[in-house]
Amino acid sequence: MIASHLLAYFFTELNHDQVQKVDKYLYHMRLSDEILLDVSNRFNKEMEKGLGAETNPTACVKMLPTFVRSTPDGTENGDFLALDLGGTNFRVLRVKVSDNGMKKVEMENQIYAIPEDLMRGSGAQLFDHIAECLANFMDKLHIKDKTLPLGFTFSFPCHQSKLDESILVNWTKGFKASGVEGRDVVTLLRKAIEKRGDFDIDIVAVVNDTVGTMMTCGYDDHNCEIGLIVGTGSNACYMEEMRNVELVEGEEGRMCINMEWGAFGDNDCLEDFRTEFDRAVDELSLNPGKQRFEKMISGMYLGEIVRNILIDFTKRGLLFRGKISERLKTRGIFETKFLSQIESDRLALLQVRSILQHLGLDSTCDDSIIVKKVCTVVARRAAQLCGAGVAAVVDKIRENRGLDFLKVTVGVDGTLYKLHPHFSSIMHETVKELSPKCQVTFLQSEDGSGKGAALITAVACRIREAGQR
């Protein structure tokens, strides 16, 4: 943490009046352990609401059952296909899982584009295209004569009532294909494949990328019972006791819950922690009032929070001699990657200045110090809030099981977690402080959305085969 010590030194070199003003305006973004524990406790209450049959309809944290009932145990075996659809490109994968004394996963994949006219055309055309690409992939690998189990990663808001059924609530990410919202995407894919008639597929599971992350890491570490995404957006899942999942019948065993935790705070329970800068970002977003927690912690929004602070400080005469550049007035111009670059230990203040020049700002050394300070405070708060959420989850698992001490692993994916120089360490430290009765290990996921879908399918096939014996 050399950078933070250097920053503290440079910050003391500023004019005393400047330091006081900067600290005053950033004060509400500095979170004490007491505040973070309060956030974690509030999170726990919202989780309980989401799990309850009567309280779920009005809960902001929806706690969606995924019908994934087990993590990998290492005995999974076989040849699987996976589809990964979450944007303008999608992937088809073949995943071979072998249990020959030494666990092994081999993958081959192909990326296919989805033309814009298909994103906005009919759902039938979109799924016909997906089926055509799947046929092309199977042709290349000479496996069209096999009926392989398939896992479908479909990263859009969905309601599931079983493992192989997923009803699209609404399209996001620029998709507008008609006739899909309110329908089961697995049925639409099956119809497109049946219409072709040149191959057959056993669609076993449809999942989101958070669950895929947990399953990918769970294959390597059997203590992994939590999946976390901290990238452009943020979400988490974990293994909950069936007796607590009131939306699904049954008391025995466990089920993975897709928390949809980005919506934490949409019922105003975080209002005393949100700042004027958070509100400004929220109000001008595509979904005002929604995903408020995500807007405080994820990569899509951190740069925009910083930009709003810089504009405010400039208007107050604390930055850039009071002059706001036209570029700085542009929404989204301060990219979150700038936070990572500015916070890098290796980055001299001259290079911070070069980023500011790119934004059309005539900056001084003092300006660079203040901007670096702002980036540090915004990223630190995001990491701490994320840690408070994880702490709520690990403590719930421990309490569910009546344990004095819990060892658990969190599978993590996402560019913010992986690329920001300090985010992960601050988040880890926060979890450690807030959950002293839990030993939490963090494991980075490699290709959770593709490999994870295949592993969920492998686990489902293992359970299905065991039930048939």
Side-chain angles (χ1 to χ4, degrees):
M1 298 291 283
I2 299 168
S4 58
H5 294 312
L6 275 175
L7 179 58
Y9 169 75
F10 284 132
F11 200 54
T12 58
E13 296 299 300
L14 291 177
N15 172 296
H16 179 68
D17 186 47
Q18 257 187 315
V19 172
Q20 279 196 318
K21 286 178 178 174
V22 169
D23 277 337
K24 175 187 171 185
Y25 297 127
L26 293 178
Y27 175 76
H28 290 294
M29 286 195 157
R30 299 176 189 279
L31 306 179
S32 65
D33 285 348
E34 290 75 21
I35 288 174
L36 290 167
L37 188 58
D38 189 4
V39 170
S40 194
N41 290 335
R42 293 184 197 192
F43 210 117
N44 196 281
K45 287 175 184 171
E46 296 306 315
M47 289 167 70
E48 296 290 353
K49 286 181 190 174
L51 289 169
E54 291 184 10
T55 48
N56 176 272
T58 56
C60 56
V61 180
K62 283 300 181 188
M63 307 294 282
L64 303 173
T66 67
F67 296 85
V68 171
R69 295 177 181 267
S70 176
T71 52
D73 67 3
T75 65
E76 290 74 25
N77 201 32
D79 207 352
F80 305 94
L81 287 169
L83 279 178
D84 178 13
L85 176 64
T88 53
N89 293 321
F90 78 99
R91 286 188 309 156
V92 185
L93 304 93
R94 181 192 191 179
V95 182
K96 289 183 178 180
V97 183
S98 54
D99 172 32
N100 53 0
M102 37 189 282
K103 295 183 298 180
K104 192 176 177 184
V105 178
E106 298 175 72
M107 294 193 296
E108 301 168 86
N109 72 91
Q110 178 81 41
I111 296 173
Y112 295 93
I114 298 182
E116 194 167 324
D117 60 323
L118 289 182
M119 290 170 64
R120 300 170 188 278
S122 74
Q125 290 172 316
L126 174 63
F127 281 92
D128 284 349
H129 175 68
I130 293 170
E132 183 181 342
C133 295
L134 184 53
N136 171 271
F137 181 76
M138 294 176 76
D139 263 335
K140 283 184 179 177
L141 297 184
H142 309 292
I143 54 173
K144 252 189 172 176
D145 58 329
K146 299 180 179 180
T147 303
L148 296 178
L150 180 140
F152 188 9
T153 302
F154 189 75
S155 298
F156 297 92
C158 289
H159 174 73
Q160 282 189 251
S161 57
K162 49 187 179 179
L163 186 58
D164 63 348
E165 180 180 278
S166 191
I167 295 164
L168 177 65
V169 177
N170 59 274
W171 282 118
T172 56
K173 307 175 190 178
F175 279 75
K176 297 284 184 188
S178 62
V180 184
E181 291 182 351
R183 296 184 66 189
D184 173 27
V185 296
V186 175
T187 299
L188 293 172
L189 179 58
R190 281 188 179 128
K191 281 184 177 176
I193 292 168
E194 285 168 10
K195 190 162 54 174
R196 291 181 60 87
D198 56 342
F199 69 96
D200 197 15
I201 287 293
D202 176 19
I203 304 173
V204 173
V206 58
V207 299
N208 77 8
D209 51 2
T210 312
V211 183
T213 294
M214 181 188 75
M215 297 299 271
T216 300
C217 294
Y219 188 70
D220 298 318
D221 180 344
H222 295 167
N223 282 328
C224 184
E225 296 190 75
I226 301 165
L228 173 66
I229 304 281
V230 198
T232 306
S234 184
N235 191 17
C237 69
Y238 74 103
M239 296 301 292
E240 177 60 87
E241 306 300 314
M242 276 297 295
R243 66 177 184 272
N244 296 331
V245 185
E246 293 184 11
L247 298 177
V248 179
E249 287 185 14
E251 298 278 315
E252 297 301 313
R254 294 169 184 157
M255 181 178 287
C256 180
I257 296 296
N258 167 20
M259 297 176 69
E260 291 294 337
W261 85 353
F264 176 45
D266 288 4
N267 61 352
D268 295 338
C269 70
L270 285 179
E271 280 313 287
D272 44 340
F273 300 131
R274 292 172 80 226
T275 66
E276 61 187 290
F277 310 115
D278 297 308
R279 293 186 181 96
V281 169
D282 180 32
E283 284 164 14
L284 291 174
S285 68
L286 293 172
N287 54 346
K290 305 291 185 185
Q291 300 294 103
R292 291 182 186 175
F293 186 60
E294 182 174 74
K295 287 171 184 170
M296 298 170 82
I297 66 174
S298 74
M300 182 176 278
Y301 304 100
L302 296 191
E304 190 61 7
I305 293 172
V306 169
R307 187 184 73 87
N308 275 273
I309 295 173
L310 299 188
I311 288 173
D312 182 79
F313 279 16
T314 307
K315 286 178 179 176
R316 295 177 188 277
L318 291 172
L319 279 173
F320 315 127
R321 302 176 186 86
K323 295 176 183 175
I324 303 171
S325 70
E326 286 303 313
R327 293 206 77 192
L328 191 62
K329 292 177 186 175
T330 308
R331 279 182 60 225
I333 196 71
F334 198 101
E335 299 174 53
T336 295
K337 70 177 182 182
F338 293 159
L339 273 79
S340 296
Q341 292 168 1
I342 285 169
E343 282 227 72
S344 169
D345 287 345
R346 301 180 300 280
L347 201 62
L349 289 176
L350 280 175
Q351 289 169 287
V352 179
R353 200 169 172 183
S354 76
I355 289 173
L356 298 177
Q357 284 172 342
H358 166 70
L359 298 172
L361 296 160
D362 180 18
S363 61
T364 64
C365 183
D366 284 0
D367 290 332
S368 295
I369 294 167
I370 292 172
V371 170
K372 195 169 174 103
K373 184 75 171 177
V374 170
C375 290
T376 297
V377 169
V378 169
R380 181 176 182 80
R381 183 189 70 155
Q384 288 177 317
L385 286 172
C386 198
V390 173
V393 175
V394 297
D395 272 328
K396 185 166 193 336
I397 292 174
R398 183 183 61 79
E399 289 165 9
N400 279 347
R401 298 175 191 175
L403 299 173
D404 293 327
F405 190 77
L406 172 73
K407 283 180 70 173
V408 69
T409 297
V410 181
V412 198
D413 205 350
T415 50
L416 184 60
Y417 180 88
K418 288 181 175 180
L419 299 181
H420 189 280
H422 309 303
F423 188 99
S424 60
S425 59
I426 293 167
M427 189 184 88
H428 300 170
E429 189 59 36
T430 303
V431 176
K432 191 176 178 181
E433 287 290 325
L434 298 182
S435 301
K437 295 180 180 179
C438 300
Q439 182 184 320
V440 185
T441 302
F442 292 86
L443 184 60
Q444 279 195 28
S445 167
E446 296 303 326
D447 196 18
S449 57
K451 180 179 168 185
L455 286 168
I456 289 167
T457 304
V459 169
C461 287
R462 166 172 61 78
I463 293 169
R464 184 169 68 183
E465 286 163 14
Q468 290 170 350
R469 287 185 198 132

